[in-house]
Amino acid sequence: MSAGAPRTCGVSEISTYIHHKQCQSEKQVSMKYCGGRCMTYSMYSAEANAVSHNCSCCQELATSKQVVTLLCPDDTTMEFTYISVTECGCIATPCGEPMTTEAKKLLSQTSG
């Protein structure tokens, strides 16, 4: 796989502080999330004599609850439970309507 190629769907992580009700985690927490590429395509089907669509997106398959201690401005602490992703996979989703020519023009004007 080349350096710029999108990676396959899987668990990724970032380090960030958790904020809740004016309190914040003392240290950065490893937040796990799903990201990456899934198989999505439109292909001509001779059997249906039409273009068939297959869409999927990278979503969580399993999660776990994690507890972190938050420090509050009044020097009290509180326990906070958040959801951490433990497994990701490609889940079939409905495909959207095809873009109109006008929508494609607008998109190319805003992204260029």
Side-chain angles (χ1 to χ4, degrees), residues 38-42 52-58 90-97:
C38 291
M39 191 67 167
T40 297
Y41 61 86
S42 296
S52 64
H53 307 277
N54 182 20
C55 299
S56 61
C57 64
C58 188
C90 295
I91 305 293
T93 58
C95 294
E97 291 295 317

Side-chain angles (χ1 to χ4, degrees), residues 5-58:
R7 65 176 187 76
T8 306
C9 175
V11 178
S12 296
E13 64 182 275
I14 58 168
S15 293
T16 187
Y17 289 97
I18 291 183
H19 297 85
H20 179 71
K21 294 185 179 178
Q22 298 183 334
C23 303
Q24 174 182 297
S25 57
E26 297 178 83
K27 297 185 277 186
Q28 288 190 339
V29 174
S30 173
M31 295 292 285
K32 296 184 178 172
Y33 65 95
C34 294
R37 183 175 56 139
C38 291
M39 191 67 167
T40 297
Y41 61 86
S42 296
M43 182 183 298
Y44 174 74
S45 166
E47 194 174 294
N49 193 23
V51 176
S52 64
H53 307 277
N54 182 20
C55 299
S56 61
C57 64
C58 188

